[in-house]
């Protein structure tokens, strides 16, 4: 066994660490291959800074406001002019093209003619393309796009969509070919001001175009069409107008190049952090990704799981044209907010986007794009495996499932012959595994919930962020896995004793459970089943081998073959695949999925955790080196000489305490508790400071006092002032899609807009103080609430001389009976300010009467209500859609009403 302790186990540990590293590198290294130089990135960032400056809307205090440039013509035109000037300045000729827009029965078509090539050199065509979306383009956004009703009723039909196109002919066109393939690469220009990450994508595409134009001969055989598209926030309406309403004719032949577009690549951003990955693939996804070859861009796909992405529904612009959408999906909280600025921009994200853009230009600028249109539809999965991109066709999972069933049957037959293990004990081992996995998952969920509540209580991140937004990093995953391991170990140890079984039986039970899981996922979710089918296949082969070699191994080495932990090798081999899948899904789903994602690791860990008690001697030895002072207390009776009388002894009994040095003894309970505490602290810290949010303490703690203002969409009426306001960054990007016109207010640190004059949310019942002779008693006020379900807070100022306050409520104004239901508040401390929070579900009328010396009491009432359903808000269409849940707005976003009213009582 010495050779195993000194060589085998260390090698196994090192290989396991290497597998973990490769797993995270494969997942987070997407697009990390720096195919663009540092100077390229510097130039892209310079463009971004310029675009942010010219496109941003300034608030009154000079701060930049986040922008929707499709609603801001000036910003769009400034951005478009900048793009054109940067590209024209690098071209050998002034290659502008003018479009003629034809309107025929509301059918807008823009027609232009390409520039001819000159002396074997590709001459670019640079053109601005401004047109209104017609009915055909609007119809291209199918009813599957939930916002199409909004689009058809909004002013997108009335707005000119401002697009810029750059056409660079390939070598086939320069050589005189009639209809070469065309690859279209696009970025949006309407979500940039001052969104630095989106602006950097524009800058990267400008630099790629400039590099292509600087070449003496085309470096690509296909034609390239670069589109800086408007209307990206309106279901990619700008790009749709290119595909449906543009006719760009070739010289001589007159063919429209739009008819030859056989591939579309869109680059977009959803925040300013996170890995860059494929978030949507259109027609022929496998052939499209295969054309990228062994590139960083191709290894981010789990085809058919794209619908898990919260952004997948945004990209159906391509129709029947093969397409890929590349996005960085981390830190979506900063998307379209003031946080996405040049100070917070990630150079790494810009490098990755620019690098993948270069890979796409190279691959699809030279590939056979016509073959994509004719490609098959066999679904497959691309994943990174120890640094290599591997393509696995989904139908292979059915074959692997059949092999797994045959192996299970063979093992059961051979076990009857060799009697290698007891099926009863294996069954009990399987039960142990299921209990351990269940408990482990529940503990992770409990720790997750505690962490979320803890961070929300301290105002680090709102609780909504944990429920609805992506927040994922290696630290969060490893901390959650550690919690799962600790909880599972705590279950394995007592259960094995209770069932009188040993660790090998528990491991075999886990192997059979994994086989069942692999077969089920192969038929239910084949695009993700490879994680389990490959693991199960290797595990069953190992089980078969151990059955055949078990006796011979024991005879030669004097120990069981299970002491080599043979099944761990199956987990090591599969680790990169599992980590890759977990990270990909984790970046596309909310953090609340964390407990589920950790369960992906359960089959891999189930073959080693049952042996956890073998660590006890190791930990005992480690703890024994920690010195411990042992305090001993005993009752002692002895003869003590009397100090006053020499030679006289008396018997005394007392407690004697002695201290000796000893060794600290280890107990699993101590170890499990300490490790659980460390794992929980790590999970909390990684969530608070290592997540995609780039989190920091909020200026306003989301306690009950500002629960309404921070976490929701609010209608606020403060005296005569009326405004719609959003106070939480995690909500603004959702609401801004449907409510244009929200502006950042740096003084209040909120996004707000003035509602239309006919906005009548408070028309039914206007909360106010009642006045009039005989209505309000002397030295009192009556307040009529907006709703009896409101939360009402009354603040009284200048109350130092007030002795008593009589508080009464009633459902009708005339029914207030102070004698029967008055609550008396005694101002024994002579407080000058008193705040009274009324109970929930109070009556519609609140009366307060003052006794004692008083000059004038200032009364301020804050009323908050989040039950606006049924109120007449029909005059603001966007808000009606939010309330009616007719949009993709998350359910947690509510419309709250907040009223502030003040008066003085003499």
């Amino acid at each position: 066994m010495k050779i195993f302790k000194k060589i085998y186990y260390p090698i196994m540990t090192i290989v396991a660490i290497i597998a973990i590293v490769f797993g995270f590198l494969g997942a987070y290294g997407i697009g990390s291959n720096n195919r663009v130089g540092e100077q390229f990135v510097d130039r892209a960032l310079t463009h971004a800074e310029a675009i942010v400056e010219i496109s941003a809307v300034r608030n009154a205090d000079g701060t930049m406001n986040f922008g929707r440039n499709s609603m801001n013509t000036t910003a769009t035109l400034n951005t478009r002019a900048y793009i054109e000037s940067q590209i024209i300045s690098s071209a050998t000729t002034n290659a502008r093209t003018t479009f003629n827009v034809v309107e025929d029965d509301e059918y807008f078509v823009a027609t232009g003619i390409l520039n001819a090539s000159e002396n074997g050199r590709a001459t670019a065509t640079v053109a601005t393309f401004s047109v209104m979306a017609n009915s055909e383009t609007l119809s291209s956004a199918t009813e599957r796009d939930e916002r199409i009703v909004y689009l058809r009723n909004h002013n997108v039909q009335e707005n000119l969509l401002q697009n810029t196109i750059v056409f660079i002919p390939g070598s086939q066109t320069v050589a005189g070919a009639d209809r070469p393939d065309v690859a279209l690469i696009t970025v949006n220009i309407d979500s940039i001001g001052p969104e630095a990450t989106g602006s950097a994508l524009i800058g990267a595409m400008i630099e790629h175009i400039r590099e292509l134009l600087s070449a003496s001969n085309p470096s690509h055989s296909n034609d390239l069409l670069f589109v800086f598209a408007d209307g990206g926030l309106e279901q990619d309406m700008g790009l749709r107008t290119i595909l449906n309403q543009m006719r760009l004719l070739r010289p001589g032949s007159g063919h429209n190049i739009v008819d030859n577009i056989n591939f579309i690549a869109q680059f977009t951003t959803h925040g300013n952090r996170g890995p860059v990955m494929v978030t949507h693939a259109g027609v022929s996804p496998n052939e499209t990704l295969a054309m990228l070859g062994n590139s960083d861009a191709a290894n981010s796909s789990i085809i058919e799981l794209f619908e898990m992405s919260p952004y997948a529904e945004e990209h159906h612009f391509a129709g029947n044209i093969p397409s890929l959408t590349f996005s960085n999906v981390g830190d979506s909280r900063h998307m379209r907010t003031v946080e996405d600025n040049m100070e917070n921009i990630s150079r790494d994200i810009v490098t990755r986007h620019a690098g993948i853009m270069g890979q796409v230009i190279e691959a699809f600028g030279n590939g056979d794009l016509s073959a994509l249109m004719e490609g098959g539809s066999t679904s497959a999965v691309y994943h990174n495996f120890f640094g290599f991109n591997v393509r696995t066709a989904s139908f292979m999972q059915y074959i692997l499932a059949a092999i797994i069933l045959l192996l299970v049957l063979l093992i059961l037959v051979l076990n009857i012959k060799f009697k290698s293990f007891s099926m009863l004990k294996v069954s009990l081992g399987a039960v142990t595994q299921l209990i351990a996995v269940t408990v482990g998952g529940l503990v992770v969920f409990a720790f997750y919930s505690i962490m979320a509540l803890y961070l929300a209580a301290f105002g680090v991140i709102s609780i909504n962020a944990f429920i609805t937004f992506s927040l994922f990093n290696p630290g969060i995953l490893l901390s959650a896995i550690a919690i799962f391991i600790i909880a599972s170990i705590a279950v394995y140890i007592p259960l094995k004793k209770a069932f009188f079984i040993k660790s090998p039986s528990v491991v075999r039970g886990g192997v059979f459970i994994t086989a069942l899981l692999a077969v089920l996922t192969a038929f239910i979710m084949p695009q993700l089943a490879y994680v389990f089918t490959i693991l199960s296949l290797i595990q069953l082969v190992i089980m078969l081998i151990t059955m055949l070699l078990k006796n011979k191994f024991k005879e030669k080495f004097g120990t069981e073959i299970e002491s080599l932990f043979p099944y761990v090798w199956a987990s090591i081999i599969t680790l990169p695949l599992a980590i890759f899948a977990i990270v990909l899904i984790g970046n596309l789903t909310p953090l609340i999925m964390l407990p589920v994602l950790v369960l992906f690791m359960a089959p891999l860990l189930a073959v080693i955790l049952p042996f956890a008690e073998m660590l006890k001697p190791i930990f005992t030895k480690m703890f024994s080196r920690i010195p411990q002072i042992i305090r001993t207390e005993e009752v002692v009776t002895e003869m003590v000489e009397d100090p006053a009388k020499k030679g006289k002894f008396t018997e005394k009994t007392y407690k004697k305490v002695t201290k000796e040095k000893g060794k600290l003894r280890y107990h699993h309970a101590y170890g499990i508790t300490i490790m659980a505490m460390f794992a929980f602290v790590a999970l909390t810290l990684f969530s608070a400071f290592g997540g995609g949010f780039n989190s920091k303490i909020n200026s306003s703690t989301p306690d009950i006092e500002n629960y309404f203002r921070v976490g929701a969409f609010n209608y606020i009426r403060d005296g005569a002032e009326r405004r719609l306001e959003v106070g939480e960054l995690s909500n603004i990007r959702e609401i801004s899609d449907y409510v244009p016109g929200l502006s950042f207010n740096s003084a209040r640190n909120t996004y707000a807009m003035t509602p239309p004059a006919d906005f009548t949310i408070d028309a039914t019942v206007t909360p106010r103080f009642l006045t009039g002779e005989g209505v309000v008693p002397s030295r009192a006020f009556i307040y009529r609430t907006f709703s009896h379900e409101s939360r009402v807070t009354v603040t009284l100022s200048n109350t130092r001389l007030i002795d008593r306050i009589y508080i009464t409520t009633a459902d009708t104004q005339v029914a207030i009976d102070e004698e029967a239901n008055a609550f008396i508040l005694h101002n024994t401390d002579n407080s000058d300010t008193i705040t009274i929070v009324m109970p929930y579900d109070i009556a519609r009328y609140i009366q307060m009467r003052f006794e004692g010396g008083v000059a004038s009491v200032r009364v301020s009432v804050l009323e908050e209500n989040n039950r606006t359903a049924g109120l007449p808000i029909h005059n603001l269409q966007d808000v009606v859609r939010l309330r009616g849940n007719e949009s993709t707005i998350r359910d947690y976003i509510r419309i709250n009403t907040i009223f502030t009213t003040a008066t003085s009582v003499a």
Side-chain angles (χ1 to χ4, degrees):
M1 285 297 294
K2 290 183 178 180
I3 188 173
F4 298 129
K5 290 182 179 179
K6 292 183 178 181
I7 300 177
Y8 178 80
Y9 299 132
I11 290 176
M12 176 180 280
T13 303
I14 292 171
V15 175
I17 294 173
I18 292 173
I20 294 173
V21 170
F22 268 103
F24 281 109
L25 286 179
Y28 283 95
I30 297 168
S32 62
N33 189 352
N34 190 357
R35 303 200 177 196
V36 294
E38 294 294 323
Q39 293 182 350
F40 185 103
V41 178
D42 290 337
R43 293 193 297 271
L45 291 174
T46 300
H47 291 307
E49 189 171 2
I51 293 169
V52 165
E53 188 62 33
I54 65 173
S55 66
V57 178
R58 297 283 180 176
N59 295 309
D61 59 0
T63 57
M64 289 183 181
N65 184 21
F66 83 106
R68 287 170 51 97
N69 286 347
S70 58
M71 303 298 171
N72 181 358
T73 305
T74 302
T76 307
L77 291 175
N78 289 342
T79 302
R80 198 175 70 171
Y82 177 84
I83 294 168
E84 188 177 2
S85 67
Q86 292 298 308
I87 295 171
I88 290 293
S89 65
S90 65
T92 55
T93 59
N94 192 331
R96 282 191 177 93
T97 288
T98 303
F99 281 93
N100 295 316
V101 179
V102 179
E103 180 181 357
D104 181 12
D105 191 23
E106 199 261 323
Y107 190 84
F108 300 95
V109 178
T111 303
I113 300 176
L114 289 168
N115 290 280
S117 58
E118 298 178 352
N119 301 322
R121 182 184 177 89
T123 301
T125 296
V126 183
T128 54
F129 175 69
S130 304
V131 72
M132 284 187 288
N134 59 29
S135 58
E136 179 183 356
T137 296
L138 285 171
S139 297
S140 71
T142 65
E143 294 301 330
R144 182 182 178 187
D145 296 323
E146 297 181 14
R147 287 187 58 200
I148 189 59
V149 176
Y150 168 78
L151 290 171
R152 287 174 175 164
N153 290 287
H154 198 23
N155 60 352
V156 73
Q157 300 116 303
E158 303 170 6
N159 283 356
L160 280 176
L161 290 153
Q162 313 286 346
N163 302 307
T164 297
I165 63 170
V166 181
F167 178 82
I168 304 179
S171 58
Q172 294 184 46
T173 296
V174 172
D178 188 15
R179 297 186 184 183
D181 290 340
V182 179
L184 186 153
I185 298 99
T186 181
V187 296
N188 292 325
I189 64 170
D190 66 319
S191 58
I192 56 175
E195 293 181 36
T197 310
S199 300
L201 263 63
I202 297 173
M205 195 155 91
I206 289 173
E207 281 305 305
H208 277 300
I209 293 172
R210 288 167 64 97
E211 285 194 353
L212 290 169
L213 293 177
S214 65
S216 57
N217 295 302
S219 59
H220 47 94
S221 58
N222 300 324
D223 294 338
L224 298 174
L225 180 64
F226 295 91
V227 176
F228 299 87
D230 194 7
L233 298 178
E234 281 75 42
Q235 290 294 298
D236 295 297
M237 277 298 149
L239 181 56
R240 292 178 194 269
T241 59
I242 297 288
L243 300 175
N244 294 299
Q245 296 175 230
M246 185 184 82
R247 304 289 183 266
L248 189 56
L249 308 178
R250 295 185 182 278
S253 67
H255 292 139
N256 180 18
I257 69 161
V258 175
D259 297 333
N260 302 121
I261 295 174
N262 290 338
F263 171 73
I264 299 176
Q266 183 179 54
F267 288 85
T268 185
T269 175
H270 293 94
N272 55 4
R273 292 292 187 277
V276 178
M277 58 178 61
V278 176
T279 54
H280 182 75
V283 179
S284 304
N286 297 289
E287 289 73 17
T288 308
L289 285 164
M291 191 170 287
L292 284 170
N294 190 33
S295 68
D296 299 317
N299 67 7
S300 61
S301 69
I302 293 184
I303 302 296
E304 301 188 10
L305 277 186
F306 287 121
E307 293 304 320
M308 293 179 61
S309 168
Y311 318 114
E313 69 273 8
E314 297 180 9
H315 305 291
H316 301 294
F317 52 82
N320 293 324
I321 303 174
S323 63
L324 295 174
T325 298
F326 300 93
S327 306
N328 61 296
V329 296
D331 199 10
S332 58
R333 184 190 192 203
H334 288 156
M335 185 171 126
R336 297 198 291 280
T337 72
V338 294
E339 295 294 325
D340 190 1
N341 51 42
M342 291 303 297
E343 293 180 1
N344 291 333
I345 197 168
S346 169
R347 185 184 181 89
D348 182 56
I349 291 300
V350 177
T351 302
R352 293 184 181 191
H353 268 294
I356 293 178
M357 195 178 292
Q359 295 173 28
V360 168
I361 292 171
E362 179 182 349
F364 295 96
N366 294 285
D368 183 4
L369 304 186
S370 299
L372 293 178
M373 302 295 288
E374 302 168 359
S377 58
T378 302
S379 60
V381 178
Y382 287 78
H383 45 261
N384 189 281
F385 183 67
F386 285 99
F388 296 95
N389 295 319
V390 181
R391 177 184 184 273
T392 304
S394 294
F395 72 84
M396 283 295 299
Q397 304 309 316
Y398 306 134
I399 298 174
L400 292 178
I403 296 174
I404 288 170
L405 290 174
L406 290 175
L407 283 173
V408 169
L409 181 60
L410 178 60
I411 288 170
L412 293 177
V413 171
L414 290 177
N415 186 55
I416 296 174
K417 179 180 180 180
F418 295 114
K419 293 182 172 50
S420 299
F421 51 82
S422 167
M423 282 305 301
L424 175 61
K425 292 184 177 180
V426 169
S427 300
L428 292 174
V431 173
T432 303
Q433 290 276 15
L434 290 174
I435 295 174
V437 169
T438 302
V439 172
L442 291 175
V443 170
V444 171
F445 181 76
F447 273 62
Y448 163 85
S449 302
I450 294 171
M451 172 202 67
L453 292 172
Y454 179 76
L455 292 180
F458 280 89
V460 179
I461 298 176
S462 71
I463 192 67
N464 291 333
F466 290 98
I467 299 172
T468 58
F469 287 102
S470 253
L471 174 62
F472 201 76
N473 61 58
I476 291 176
L477 176 59
L478 293 175
S479 300
I481 291 174
I483 293 170
F484 175 81
I485 290 173
I486 294 163
S488 298
I489 290 174
V491 172
Y492 281 124
I493 294 174
L495 276 185
K496 286 193 300 179
K497 293 180 180 179
F499 290 149
F500 299 101
I501 55 177
K502 294 183 178 180
S503 298
S505 297
V506 180
V507 170
R508 293 188 187 100
V511 170
F512 283 114
I513 292 176
T514 302
L516 177 61
L517 179 64
V519 172
L520 291 176
T521 55
F523 289 94
I524 298 173
M525 195 181 294
Q527 63 276 14
L528 192 57
Y530 68 92
V531 176
F532 307 111
T533 53
I534 295 175
L535 174 66
S536 179
L537 188 65
I538 301 173
Q539 284 182 343
L540 292 173
V541 170
I542 290 174
M543 179 178 284
L544 191 59
I545 294 173
T546 55
M547 289 175 64
L548 299 175
L549 299 180
K550 182 176 182 178
N551 294 331
K552 292 182 179 179
F553 185 89
K554 188 172 184 179
E555 290 175 4
K556 184 171 183 179
F557 295 101
T559 185
E560 298 291 341
I561 195 170
E562 281 82 3
S563 63
L564 294 182
F565 311 124
Y567 299 100
V568 174
W569 288 108
S571 298
I572 292 174
I573 293 171
T574 318
L575 257 176
L577 303 178
I579 292 175
F580 183 87
I582 291 172
V583 171
L584 178 60
I585 298 173
N587 276 288
L588 296 178
T589 55
L591 187 62
I592 198 171
M593 284 285 290
L594 181 64
V596 178
L597 296 178
V598 172
L599 294 182
F600 275 78
M601 296 294 295
L604 283 74
L605 297 170
V607 297
I608 188 64
L609 295 185
F611 294 97
E613 72 271 16
M614 295 179 65
L615 295 173
K616 186 172 183 180
I618 299 174
F619 282 112
T620 300
K621 187 176 181 180
M622 291 172 57
F623 273 75
S624 66
R625 296 176 181 175
I626 302 175
Q628 181 184 25
I629 302 300
I630 301 175
R631 185 175 181 272
T632 304
E633 185 178 284
E634 58 181 340
V635 177
V636 179
T637 302
E638 58 182 25
M639 301 298 293
V640 180
E641 185 179 10
D642 191 339
K645 298 179 181 180
K646 299 294 182 180
K648 183 177 181 181
F649 292 85
T650 57
E651 186 179 274
K652 288 189 176 182
T653 300
Y654 62 94
K655 292 181 179 180
K656 184 178 181 181
V657 177
T658 58
K659 295 181 180 180
E660 297 180 357
K661 289 186 178 180
K663 296 180 179 180
L664 187 64
R665 297 182 61 186
Y666 171 77
H667 297 280
H668 265 325
Y670 299 157
I672 288 173
T673 303
I674 292 172
M675 288 188 292
M677 291 175 59
F678 274 110
F680 173 72
V681 171
L683 179 65
T684 304
L685 293 177
F686 279 116
S687 299
F689 304 106
F693 287 178
N694 190 24
S695 306
K696 55 187 177 184
I697 300 298
N698 292 336
S699 58
S700 55
T701 306
D703 54 18
I704 191 64
E705 293 302 323
N706 47 33
Y707 163 78
F708 289 92
R709 297 178 186 272
V710 173
F713 184 36
N714 305 303
Y715 168 67
I716 297 176
R717 178 168 172 170
D718 188 354
E721 181 188 1
R722 300 160 70 244
R723 65 181 183 271
L724 290 166
E725 184 176 88
V726 185
E728 174 57 62
L729 284 177
S730 64
N731 295 345
I732 180 59
R733 71 179 186 85
E734 301 275 355
I735 293 177
S736 66
D737 281 351
Y738 297 86
V739 186
L742 290 165
S743 300
F744 183 68
N745 186 302
S746 58
R748 289 194 299 266
N749 196 31
T750 61
Y751 296 90
M753 65 178 289
T754 302
D758 55 357
F759 182 74
T760 55
I761 192 171
D762 53 346
T764 305
V765 177
T766 302
R768 62 186 177 90
F769 292 103
L770 300 183
T771 58
E773 187 177 353
V775 176
V776 184
S778 175
R779 303 177 71 186
F781 70 87
I782 297 176
Y783 175 78
R784 185 179 71 179
T785 65
F786 173 74
S787 168
H788 69 89
E789 294 181 321
S790 295
R791 184 175 182 275
V792 178
T793 303
V794 182
T795 301
L796 307 174
S797 303
N798 196 29
T799 57
R800 186 173 56 85
L801 299 178
I802 296 296
D803 297 327
R804 288 176 295 277
I805 303 172
Y806 293 83
I807 306 171
T808 52
T809 61
D811 289 323
T812 61
Q813 174 183 331
V814 296
I816 293 180
D817 185 355
E818 184 177 296
E819 298 297 328
N821 61 5
F823 173 82
I824 304 176
L825 177 66
H826 296 272
N827 187 18
T828 56
D829 296 334
N830 295 324
S831 299
D832 197 50
T833 301
I834 299 174
T835 299
I836 302 169
V837 180
M838 301 300 295
Y840 176 74
D841 201 11
I842 58 174
R844 292 300 296 270
Y845 293 87
I846 301 172
Q847 174 180 289
M848 291 190 185
R849 185 174 63 84
F850 309 114
E851 279 192 0
V854 59
S856 177
V857 176
R858 183 65 177 172
V859 181
S860 179
V861 178
L862 173 65
E863 181 174 352
E864 300 166 309
N865 187 286
N866 70 342
R867 294 174 178 258
T868 60
L871 292 176
I873 330 177
H874 306 296
N875 292 317
L876 187 58
Q877 176 189 3
D878 299 320
V879 180
V880 172
R881 287 185 51 72
L882 285 171
R883 190 195 66 209
N885 198 27
E886 299 170 14
S887 68
T888 56
I889 294 296
R890 302 290 187 265
D891 291 339
Y892 73 87
I893 295 180
R894 298 169 302 277
I895 301 176
N896 295 332
T897 51
I898 301 176
F899 301 95
T900 302
T901 314
T903 190
S904 294
V905 177

